[in-house]
Amino acid sequence: MYVVAGVTGQTGRSVAQQLVQTGKAVTGLTSRDPAQVEAPKGVALRQVDLRDADALAGLAAESEGFYGLIPPLWSPEDYEAAVEPLRQGIIAAAKAAPRSVVLSSIAAQRAEGTGPIRSLHPLEAALRDAPGVTLLRASYFLENLRNYQEAFTQGVLPTYWSPERAIEWVDTRTIGKRAAELLTAENPGSLVQLSGERPASFEEVAQSLGQVLSQDIRAVSLPAEAVIEPLQAMGAGQIAELYAEMNRAMDAGEIAFEDDVPVERRGPSLKEALARVFA
């Protein structure tokens, strides 16, 4: 049996689906009442608070493998304080399981200046040399573009960094497939950096997206800080300012993979991935 955290989210759901498709038994973790959660087909649900390190580690220890991540936290005013118990829960489970894959992020090797990504630096430090643990650094989620669908109706793809700057991206189905492979591999490795077919600028993304949606879409650059007000209007706490920090780092080219670690390029082309995301 494999234990998958965040099973109702993008990557957790994808990992669970990939494991089920290969005949594996999967227990998905949720903080909500399982009766009120729509689980991926073939996945058993278990209600567990990811901040409960003892319960999480106990369940992971009984599994064949554990997939963990720190879920997004929107409302806390002190982001780091809110992340810490979640981080400790994931660390405990990852170390307790016979094999673990823990989702990290591009630029997690940097201790500061990366917005919410900075919370993954101490996570990696705690797990980098842990036996049986693979850290999976993924690049920008192409699914994040779904947040701008209202702007698409006006022919606009907003970007908070230079539209011509090429960035690393990957779709979450590719992340899920690779994570499932690593969970079941004999020698998965301790650190994997994962991205899509090639870097692409938001100008290129807008062009490909326009072809997929059969409409004209152009990338429009906004100041990094422009993300703060709309996020706060939706109830975001400190993470709104952290996203502005990440946007500045993205524009400066500082959201990048670690130079001396290979980057795996997997998944479909940009246009094919966008078609899959917006199917």
Side-chain angles (χ1 to χ4, degrees):
M1 177 267 292
Y2 289 82
V3 173
V4 176
V7 75
T8 59
Q10 295 185 121
T11 66
R13 177 176 292 272
S14 180
V15 173
Q17 289 172 333
Q18 294 291 334
L19 288 170
V20 168
Q21 287 173 14
T22 57
K24 307 299 184 184
V26 177
T27 295
L29 305 184
T30 176
S31 60
R32 297 158 55 194
D33 180 354
Q36 300 178 2
V37 174
E38 183 180 352
K41 186 176 180 180
V43 175
L45 287 178
R46 180 83 170 263
Q47 187 173 13
V48 176
D49 189 334
L50 297 184
R51 296 168 296 186
D52 188 339
D54 290 340
L56 202 56
L59 189 58
E62 298 173 356
S63 74
E64 295 177 70
F66 169 74
Y67 175 77
L69 76 165
I70 296 177
L73 300 174
W74 286 100
S75 59
E77 291 302 326
D78 187 335
Y79 188 80
E80 181 59 25
V83 162
E84 177 59 12
L86 290 167
R87 186 164 52 220
Q88 292 305 318
I90 296 300
I91 290 170
K95 289 183 175 180
R99 178 170 295 170
S100 299
V101 173
V102 176
L103 183 67
S104 186
S105 170
I106 185 173
Q109 72 274 13
R110 296 174 59 91
E112 57 186 20
T114 58
I117 297 172
R118 70 169 76 163
S119 67
L120 297 172
H121 184 76
L123 178 74
E124 286 201 357
L127 295 175
R128 186 72 181 259
D129 298 319
V133 176
T134 299
L135 295 165
L136 180 57
R137 285 182 186 161
S139 56
Y140 182 86
F141 290 8
L142 209 54
E143 282 79 0
N144 290 341
L145 298 178
R146 290 173 177 160
N147 296 328
Y148 305 121
Q149 289 187 82
E150 184 176 344
F152 298 164
T153 63
Q154 302 173 25
V156 170
L157 170 60
T159 172
Y160 298 96
W161 51 83
S162 301
E164 66 273 11
R165 173 173 290 284
I167 67 165
E168 298 282 359
W169 59 268
V170 68
D171 65 296
T172 56
R173 190 183 302 184
T174 296
I175 296 172
K177 183 176 181 180
R178 187 66 181 117
E181 290 172 352
L182 292 167
L183 276 172
T184 55
E186 289 187 11
N187 299 297
S190 61
L191 176 61
V192 173
Q193 299 194 133
L194 179 67
S195 197
E197 177 195 42
R198 61 176 179 83
S201 69
F202 259 45
E203 288 180 340
E204 293 177 271
V205 172
Q207 182 179 18
S208 294
L209 188 59
Q211 293 171 355
V212 168
L213 300 179
S214 299
Q215 63 183 94
D216 291 330
I217 297 179
R218 60 188 178 91
V220 174
S221 182
L222 301 173
E225 292 73 17
V227 74
I228 297 176
E229 186 175 343
L231 287 181
Q232 289 177 337
M234 293 187 291
Q238 188 187 12
I239 197 170
E241 296 176 358
L242 291 175
Y243 268 116
E245 178 181 90
M246 183 181 70
N247 291 339
R248 289 191 292 270
M250 187 80 83
D251 201 37
E254 296 170 350
I255 303 299
F257 284 120
E258 192 169 349
D259 288 338
D260 58 354
V261 179
V263 177
E264 293 187 5
R265 298 203 172 276
R266 292 176 175 249
S269 68
L270 175 61
K271 185 177 179 180
E272 290 169 334
L274 285 168
R276 195 156 78 179
V277 169
F278 290 95

